[in-house]
Amino acid sequence: MQAATRRPRTNHLDLAQRILDVARQRGFEPGTRLPEQQIASLCNVSRTPVRAALSLLAERGVVRWEADTGYHLAVDLAAQPAISAELPSAEEDELAEAILRDRSARRLDQTVTVAGLMRRYSAQRKTVLKSLNRLTEENLLDRAPGQSWLFRRTPDDPEAQGESYEFRLLLEPAAILTPGFRLDGARAAALRQGMEALVALPDAAFDTREFQRLDIDFHGMIAEGSANRFVADALADHLRLRRLPGIYAGVNVFRLRQSLLEHLNILDHLESRQYEVAADLLRIHLRLSRNQRPQAASRGAPALFGMISRPE
């Protein structure tokens, strides 16, 4: 086998994605220099894997190498929000995604075994174990006795979705109101840019996967802004479940677009440090999203959200 056909290492792929996330959150523009030591510090890793991850991004034209100054960002991440999807996947990552898709489609039982997954996917034992360990680390699976794993309950049916929104209604507004709440300004600016770009697209070009990324990142930013580590950790664990396939199935573009406008309105008040107003708007947003009906959004959202404007 030629070296060119080898899959990149999982840790290099994960780090490449993290570099993109950091660059997007901090609003890096095309041409921004990416010193290895700075990236290593931002991502809390050593320089060696950073070099490999930047090389991987350079192969795909996301960054460029200049002999005198090193790596530079080569693309506008805000204008190309789905660029992370172009990264290759390690074998265990592809298998993990296949397992999640099949579980969401009810093609897998709640309990799975290593042997059963090996047969189903014609995969080696070590690949299956790596995939299961990754899903366990993301709190999507629990280890059961023997060689079994148990899927955690996910918000992929009406009853579970209702419970998910009730959980979030209890904690997300509270996260904003915790003493010491802090908004990551660079991350907020990058999110605003991405949301405004997506909401401006026509329906035919609306990217649901990009909406999912922005939605999770927006609510994750709120969770991480809480000064209460227990609130932040509980929300972060729950938000991981919203990365699963099918979570946004059945929600039409009208509601997704309206949701982005609600995000932007909440963000206006977070940036103005009007936290009580932002928390109230977040409660309304979560209730409307729980309904997942365009007619509900059109009755309540525009008039209600339009009543409160950003202070001068």
Side-chain angles (χ1 to χ4, degrees), residues 15-200:
L15 183 54
Q17 180 60 65
R18 205 183 325 168
I19 291 171
L20 291 180
D21 291 341
V22 168
R24 186 180 285 111
Q25 291 167 9
R26 292 180 174 269
F28 287 0
E29 298 180 349
T32 300
R33 187 166 171 264
L34 303 172
E36 292 177 6
Q37 187 57 58
Q38 179 190 15
I39 297 300
S41 298
L42 291 172
C43 297
N44 196 28
V45 296
S46 67
R47 291 181 60 178
T48 300
V50 166
R51 191 172 300 119
L54 288 172
S55 177
L56 180 61
L57 292 171
E59 291 174 6
R60 278 142 189 89
V62 182
V63 304
R64 67 174 185 274
W65 166 260
E66 296 181 4
D68 294 335
T69 55
Y71 287 102
H72 296 254
L73 187 63
V75 300
D76 186 346
L77 292 176
Q80 302 182 51
I83 197 166
S84 58
E86 299 174 5
L87 289 174
S89 297
E91 188 174 5
E92 57 266 27
D93 293 334
E94 290 182 349
L95 178 56
E97 294 302 318
I99 290 171
L100 291 179
R101 285 195 302 270
D102 285 348
R103 174 57 187 165
S104 295
R106 298 296 193 272
R107 291 189 289 265
L108 287 175
D109 294 332
Q110 187 175 12
T111 301
V112 293
T113 64
V114 174
L117 294 175
M118 289 172 61
R119 287 193 300 271
R120 180 179 181 88
Y121 298 104
S122 300
Q124 295 181 353
R125 183 182 183 83
K126 65 179 182 180
T127 303
V128 171
L129 286 171
K130 286 181 179 180
S131 300
L132 293 173
N133 286 333
R134 174 195 150 184
L135 295 175
T136 301
E137 290 172 359
E138 294 183 359
N139 292 322
L140 300 174
L141 283 176
D142 285 321
R143 185 71 184 268
Q147 293 296 308
S148 299
W149 273 259
L150 183 69
F151 283 101
R152 289 193 170 189
R153 190 175 184 190
T154 59
D156 58 354
D157 63 68
E159 182 182 358
Q161 287 174 5
E163 292 175 0
S164 171
Y165 278 109
E166 289 300 328
F167 175 84
R168 295 172 65 196
L169 276 163
L170 287 170
L171 285 189
E172 283 197 47
I176 294 176
L177 296 177
T178 53
F181 175 86
R182 294 186 63 182
L183 182 69
D184 185 331
R187 185 175 180 181
L191 268 171
R192 176 182 293 280
Q193 191 173 12
M195 291 189 292
E196 289 176 344
L198 184 58
V199 80

Side-chain angles (χ1 to χ4, degrees), residues 4 11 17 44 68 79 102 106 118 144 148 170 218 241 245 249 262 273 286-288 304:
N11 62 323
Q17 180 60 65
N44 196 28
D68 294 335
D102 285 348
R106 298 296 193 272
M118 289 172 61
S148 299
L170 287 170
F218 174 78
L241 301 178
E262 293 162 13
R273 298 189 178 184
L286 290 172
R287 290 186 180 118
L288 291 173
L304 185 56

Side-chain angles (χ1 to χ4, degrees), residues 171-185 188 218 221-227 265-284 305 308-311:
L171 285 189
E172 283 197 47
I176 294 176
L177 296 177
T178 53
F181 175 86
R182 294 186 63 182
L183 182 69
D184 185 331
F218 174 78
M221 176 184 67
I222 290 175
E224 292 170 20
S226 172
N265 200 7
I266 293 166
L267 186 55
D268 286 343
H269 291 84
L270 288 174
E271 290 175 334
S272 299
R273 298 189 178 184
Q274 293 188 318
Y275 296 140
E276 290 190 6
V277 177
D280 287 341
L281 292 175
L282 180 56
R283 289 189 189 93
I284 297 167
F305 276 75
I308 305 174
S309 59
R310 186 178 185 180

Side-chain angles (χ1 to χ4, degrees), residues 167-168 171-172 175 223 230-240:
F167 175 84
R168 295 172 65 196
L171 285 189
E172 283 197 47
F230 297 103
V231 171
D233 289 347
L235 283 172
D237 283 345
H238 188 74
L239 285 171
R240 290 190 185 98

